[in-house]
Amino acid sequence: MKKIIFLILVLVFELLGLDNALAVHQLEATQKKDIGKELYLTHCARCHHSDRIGISGPPLLPSTLRKYKIKDLISKIRDGFDQTLMPKFTNLSTGELLAIARYIKSPTNLKNYKWGKDEIEKSLVEFNDTKKDLGIKDIKNVTPVVERGAGKVWIMEDEKILDKFPLKNVHGGIKYQFPKAKNIFIPTRDGVVEKYSLKEGRRVAKERMCIYLRNVSLSRDGKYGFTTCLLPEQLVIFDTKSLKPIKITPLKGKVSAIYDFYTKDEMIFTYRDKPLVGFVDTKTLSTSYKKIDEPIEDFFIDPFDRFLIATARRGKLLRVYDTKDMNMVFEHKMNGMPHLFSATYWYKDGEFYFATPHLKSDFITIWQMYNWKLIKEIPIGGDGFFVKTHPATPYLWVDNGTDELVLVNKKDYSIKKLIPKKGKQYIHAEFSGDGKYTYLSIYDRDGDLLVWDTKSFKELKDYPANIPVGKYNFICKNRRFYPMLFGSEIAKEKFKGKSKDEVFKEILANKIKLSEYELRALMAWIKSK
């Protein structure tokens, strides 16, 4: 019998392209009970949970690993997944890797993972943190920072840290509660939504909305929060004052993300595995669907709240849909985006543009919006993850997976490079709302959060940080402010630095011909404080 098992294992190893000699090791391993589970609990459960339902890492279940064969998982476990914090397990033998791969592909009963209204309400934790005045001078320059390795969130304004508090596994983007932005809501990958008061300088409460979360969005009036969940597959709508769940809607597949429209009382979400786009009325809390021709992978909404820009066919196409009727208005070949809302926007020479990095690609692309077209592909010297800009800088700020900061001139697309920290990977620039300061992450456990003067590139502060990642400035992370930022660029270009009153008078006199989007941007800028 053992010989038969041995021959079977040799055949399996040949099919996997592995060393046959390791079959002996695997044969011995099969004699140990649940060796795959034991190895998983030792090496993987800390990030993926003892029940494989995900914590800081994603769930490892047949439904989430469907696209991976056993041989793919062996290499992924050994070498790590690109663009993630997953460590490499090169210390494990091929037999041990095979045992883990087989275990995480083994069936499990997802019905055991229910997370309904009772479970949500029982998970509520209210904090008794002491109230304090953060001394915020201007909300537009407030920037929360995620220090992932230390499990902390910082609250910054300009070059100063105003507060720090513990929160692990932050994922899905920090959201400000409008209209007054007194609170922020912070989601975690393992389903928690935490409420923090900027007014009181303290944590208020947290509640676990699901087992594994995709992202959170807030209604434009600030009354409701909307949590999309991958486990269970559901949409949880909660009251932002109490965190109490108001409505739980089962979803029809693997949701990509949910985002709000700032011009109307509506949310939009898509599925990665179903050709459907969902719309949620944020007043009635009802959900409706529109069919499209194939599923959407990742997407973002344009700055004027009209178009959905998405990747399809596993990231091989870029498509633009009009959100009024979900008719496709543009399609072009492209490599997939590395993350949701990966684009950055600017205005020049009478046109609006966006740039995006691409998954496992050593270039970024420049696209023209509204008369949609691909403008240029720009090599950046490595596999990048973020590209960012602001009207205060003439550059796109790009990372390329190394210690280089790549600066792409928005006028002529010429490149220059800087080294924020020699020998340490730089990732993700973010700007203060006024553009005076730039925040740079040095992506290392012995890393840094650098604060630079945007114009001079002078380093103003160097804060030690354990894997600093996302930064969420009040202005730069909210699409409702992009027209205002565009307006400042249009005023410089078309009105030669005239005051807001002078620009408004010229608009009324119809002295300069403006497109619909130029006019909307200028009016947003004129109305801004």
Side-chain angles (χ1 to χ4, degrees):
M1 184 65 183
K2 285 186 178 181
K3 287 184 178 179
I4 294 173
I5 295 173
F6 178 83
L7 291 173
I8 292 172
L9 284 170
V10 168
L11 179 61
V12 168
F13 272 63
E14 285 179 349
L15 290 173
L16 294 176
L18 306 176
D19 185 352
N20 287 346
L22 290 170
V24 176
H25 174 86
Q26 182 59 24
L27 178 60
E28 294 172 352
T30 59
Q31 307 309 306
K32 286 187 69 176
K33 185 179 179 181
D34 293 333
I35 182 64
K37 182 176 181 179
E38 290 177 14
L39 288 165
Y40 172 87
L41 292 174
T42 300
H43 300 288
C44 314
R46 162 174 77 141
C47 296
H48 296 281
H49 198 278
S50 58
D51 289 328
R52 297 157 53 194
I53 58 176
I55 308 176
S56 59
L60 298 178
L61 304 166
S63 58
T64 62
L65 299 173
R66 191 179 294 117
K67 67 179 180 179
Y68 297 108
K69 296 179 180 178
I70 292 289
K71 65 178 181 179
D72 299 324
L73 290 173
I74 288 173
S75 62
K76 292 292 186 183
I77 298 167
R78 182 184 61 235
D79 301 325
F81 277 72
D82 293 329
Q83 311 276 5
T84 74
L85 289 176
M86 180 176 166
K88 297 180 179 181
F89 289 95
T90 53
N91 58 311
L92 297 180
S93 70
T94 306
E96 289 171 325
L97 294 169
L98 175 60
I100 294 173
R102 292 176 63 189
Y103 174 66
I104 62 178
K105 285 279 278 186
S106 64
T108 185
N109 187 359
L110 290 179
K111 292 181 180 179
N112 293 335
Y113 305 134
K114 183 181 102 148
W115 200 262
K117 187 175 181 181
D118 289 345
E119 288 83 1
I120 294 171
E121 290 182 340
K122 288 176 183 177
S123 72
L124 177 66
V125 175
E126 295 179 307
F127 296 107
N128 294 312
D129 295 359
T130 302
K131 295 181 182 180
K132 55 184 175 293
D133 182 1
L134 296 180
I136 295 173
K137 297 176 184 177
D138 190 340
I139 185 65
K140 73 173 179 284
N141 293 322
V142 167
T143 305
V145 176
V146 177
E147 188 185 7
R148 182 179 290 172
K152 292 180 180 178
V153 176
W154 307 3
I155 305 297
M156 297 190 70
E157 183 182 10
D158 297 337
E159 80 282 19
K160 299 177 182 177
I161 298 174
L162 307 182
D163 194 19
K164 288 186 180 184
F165 56 93
L167 186 59
K168 294 181 179 180
N169 308 324
V170 174
H171 172 80
I174 295 173
K175 301 299 189 298
Y176 292 84
Q177 184 181 21
F178 289 94
K180 295 184 179 180
K182 293 180 180 178
N183 302 302
I184 56 174
F185 288 78
I186 312 164
T188 73
R189 192 180 284 274
D190 48 340
V192 170
V193 176
E194 183 161 301
K195 180 179 179 180
Y196 177 91
S197 171
L198 293 171
K199 183 180 179 181
E200 298 178 351
R202 70 180 188 96
R203 298 174 300 168
V204 178
K206 67 178 181 179
E207 194 158 65
R208 192 173 190 187
M209 302 297 173
C210 55
I211 294 171
Y212 188 59
L213 171 149
R214 182 56 175 157
N215 79 320
V216 166
S217 193
L218 303 179
S219 58
R220 67 173 181 164
D221 62 8
K223 291 184 178 179
Y224 299 111
F226 299 78
T227 306
T228 48
C229 305
L230 293 171
L231 189 64
E233 293 179 344
Q234 61 190 29
L235 170 66
V236 179
I237 303 173
F238 63 92
D239 178 88
T240 53
K241 186 176 181 180
S242 65
L243 297 185
K244 180 180 179 181
I246 302 297
K247 184 177 182 180
I248 299 176
T249 302
L251 296 178
K252 300 181 178 182
K254 187 183 294 183
V255 71
S256 178
I258 188 167
Y259 290 106
D260 65 299
F261 289 105
Y262 66 84
T263 56
K264 55 187 174 181
D265 296 311
E266 195 171 62
M267 294 272 168
I268 186 170
F269 64 92
T270 69
Y271 293 107
R272 290 185 167 186
D273 56 352
K274 297 284 174 62
L276 293 173
V277 177
F279 295 86
V280 184
D281 186 311
T282 59
K283 293 296 186 184
T284 66
L285 307 185
S286 60
T287 301
S288 61
Y289 288 92
K290 289 181 180 177
K291 282 187 130 183
I292 52 177
D293 59 347
E294 60 183 282
I296 284 172
E297 289 284 316
D298 292 314
F299 73 94
F300 58 93
I301 304 169
D302 82 292
F304 292 100
D305 236 15
R306 175 68 185 274
F307 297 97
L308 186 149
I309 299 100
T311 56
R313 293 186 190 170
R314 296 191 179 274
K316 300 301 182 184
L317 290 174
L318 178 134
R319 286 177 169 170
V320 179
Y321 297 87
D322 189 322
T323 58
K324 287 185 177 180
D325 51 23
M326 290 311 298
N327 286 332
M328 187 173 64
V329 299
F330 178 72
E331 179 180 86
H332 200 287
K333 290 181 180 180
M334 70 168 281
N335 283 12
M337 295 180 287
H339 56 93
L340 287 158
F341 261 95
S342 66
T344 193
Y345 316 96
W346 70 99
Y347 172 92
K348 73 168 185 177
D349 301 331
E351 300 289 350
F352 297 88
Y353 297 88
F354 76 85
T356 182
H358 297 275
L359 191 63
K360 298 182 182 179
S361 300
D362 61 354
F363 59 85
I364 64 170
T365 49
I366 310 295
W367 304 78
Q368 187 173 300
M369 294 191 287
Y370 309 123
N371 6 334
W372 304 92
K373 58 178 144 179
L374 173 65
I375 299 298
K376 193 171 182 65
E377 183 179 294
I378 301 175
I380 56 172
D383 184 0
F385 202 67
F386 290 100
V387 53
K388 296 288 293 183
T389 195
H390 188 281
T393 176
Y395 301 105
L396 305 175
W397 296 53
V398 188
D399 56 69
N400 66 4
T402 73
D403 60 359
E404 295 178 336
L405 160 61
V406 182
L407 296 168
V408 179
N409 190 294
K410 289 183 283 189
K411 284 290 184 184
D412 60 13
Y413 306 126
S414 59
I415 286 177
K416 71 176 182 177
K417 296 182 179 181
L418 301 174
I419 307 292
K421 282 279 182 178
K422 184 69 175 176
K424 289 193 174 183
Q425 183 181 352
Y426 148 72
I427 189 171
H428 189 222
E430 185 58 286
F431 303 91
S432 55
D434 59 14
K436 182 178 179 181
Y437 300 95
T438 308
Y439 309 94
L440 308 174
S441 291
I442 303 303
Y443 192 71
D444 195 282
R445 294 200 177 274
D446 184 23
D448 306 82
L449 191 284
L450 306 179
V451 185
W452 282 14
D453 180 285
T454 301
K455 290 185 177 179
S456 69
F457 307 116
K458 180 182 177 182
E459 184 181 295
L460 304 175
K461 292 285 184 180
D462 180 344
Y463 294 106
N466 185 345
I467 309 183
V469 282
K471 297 171 283 293
Y472 301 88
N473 174 257
F474 177 74
I475 295 291
C476 299
K477 281 296 185 182
N478 288 289
R479 282 181 304 105
R480 67 185 65 207
F481 298 118
Y482 273 98
M484 176 196 74
L485 296 175
F486 284 143
S488 68
E489 293 180 290
I490 296 168
K492 289 177 187 176
E493 185 174 300
K494 288 185 175 288
F495 295 89
K496 308 302 180 185
K498 292 181 180 178
S499 69
K500 290 181 178 180
D501 286 342
E502 290 172 324
V503 171
F504 185 58
K505 288 177 182 177
E506 291 199 16
I507 290 173
L508 290 177
N510 200 27
K511 288 187 176 182
I512 295 180
K513 188 176 181 180
L514 300 168
S515 70
E516 172 195 349
Y517 296 114
E518 286 174 326
L519 181 59
R520 286 177 61 179
L522 282 167
M523 293 308 297
W525 172 70
I526 289 168
K527 292 176 183 178
S528 65
K529 294 181 180 179

